[in-house]
Amino acid sequence: SGGHAAFNHGVQWFWFHGRLGPSLRSRPFFCALTPTPALLYNQVMISQQKILEYLRNCSYKQTLAHAYALIGPSESGRKELLEAFLGDYLQAKSLDHPDIRIIAPLPEKDSISIEQIRELKQWLAMSPLSADNKVAIVESAETMNEASQNAFLKVLEEPVPNTYLFLLVGHKHLLLPTIFSRTAPLYFANPSPGAGEIALLQPYLASTDASER
């Protein structure tokens, strides 16, 4: 597999040829990395669209990686994109779904505890309740301490069939290299729009009609 860069409306793109399956899961998928300020909003739209189409294509071809690292600022629409993708993939109307588990930092500790990771491992081992697959989303994955990350590493090393993990993290270096190397990284546009602009993106991402995207 190789890669090349291209320019579209002043935005530089870089992508790899070929699919990103388990054997290639450590290769990154880049999009819209060098925009001009005037094209910021357009950059985010394009970035979101490309990543969403990429995930949908992988699910259609049954080449989804076991784990993905969604790398970017918290306002870049990563969770909204997952909601749009899982709406198709699990027929989920929202992320409040019996086969979706969201792990977030504990408010009192501002971190993800090892107990949360152990509970996640047990949950992943159980059969799906509604869909054919199960999905875990780890918000602010960088808040896992070393013990939590080591426990999560075991989850990655012993993947349960038909389970998929999505780690939301600000930068790849905030994860242990042993964890990051076992994920397929997806880089989101940076800087990101404000909350109001993200709200405008939600119906756009949820659209299943290619002509509307």
Side-chain angles (χ1 to χ4, degrees):
S1 296
H4 66 271
F7 290 85
N8 182 18
H9 303 298
V11 181
Q12 183 179 8
W13 295 81
F14 185 87
W15 64 89
F16 284 100
H17 296 296
R19 70 184 186 184
L20 183 59
S23 63
L24 300 176
R25 60 190 175 200
S26 64
R27 294 194 176 185
F29 177 82
F30 293 94
C31 51
L33 296 181
T34 57
T36 60
L39 295 171
L40 171 59
Y41 184 68
N42 187 48
Q43 165 197 338
V44 176
M45 296 277 285
I46 295 173
S47 174
Q48 294 276 12
Q49 180 187 22
K50 290 295 181 180
I51 294 176
L52 182 58
E53 289 178 354
Y54 167 74
L55 289 173
R56 284 173 170 167
N57 186 54
C58 287
S59 67
Y60 176 76
K61 294 182 177 180
Q62 298 184 347
T63 58
L64 280 173
H66 174 237
Y68 290 89
L70 277 58
I71 303 168
S74 58
E75 301 85 4
S76 59
R78 296 168 300 175
K79 200 170 178 180
E80 289 81 1
L81 181 140
L82 285 178
E83 186 167 6
F85 169 64
L86 296 176
D88 295 334
Y89 188 59
L90 297 181
Q91 297 299 303
K93 295 181 179 180
S94 72
L95 296 180
D96 184 14
H97 185 276
D99 295 316
I100 299 175
R101 176 64 62 92
I102 299 177
I103 304 297
L106 296 172
E108 63 272 17
K109 294 184 178 180
D110 198 28
S111 63
I112 296 173
S113 69
I114 189 172
E115 288 77 16
Q116 288 176 278
I117 303 303
R118 288 171 177 167
E119 290 174 1
L120 173 63
K121 186 176 182 180
Q122 294 175 353
W123 179 81
L124 290 170
M126 295 186 291
S127 300
L129 296 177
S130 177
D132 295 327
N133 305 287
K134 301 181 78 170
V135 170
I137 301 170
V138 183
E139 292 191 79
S140 303
E142 64 269 19
T143 65
M144 289 189 290
N145 58 31
E146 187 172 354
S148 300
Q149 291 201 49
N150 284 330
F152 192 80
L153 180 59
K154 294 181 180 180
V155 176
L156 293 173
E157 291 176 335
E158 303 169 2
V160 178
N162 301 319
T163 63
Y164 300 92
L165 311 174
F166 293 88
L167 284 73
L168 279 58
V169 64
H171 195 282
K172 68 177 185 178
H173 294 307
L174 297 174
L175 296 174
L176 290 176
T178 49
I179 287 183
F180 181 73
S181 65
R182 287 170 171 80
T183 67
L186 299 175
Y187 290 86
F188 281 64
N190 185 16
S192 59
E197 292 170 310
I198 287 296
L200 292 175
L201 285 175
Q202 293 183 24
Y204 166 86
L205 292 175
S207 173
T208 57
D209 184 350
S211 65
E212 294 178 17
R213 301 197 300 271

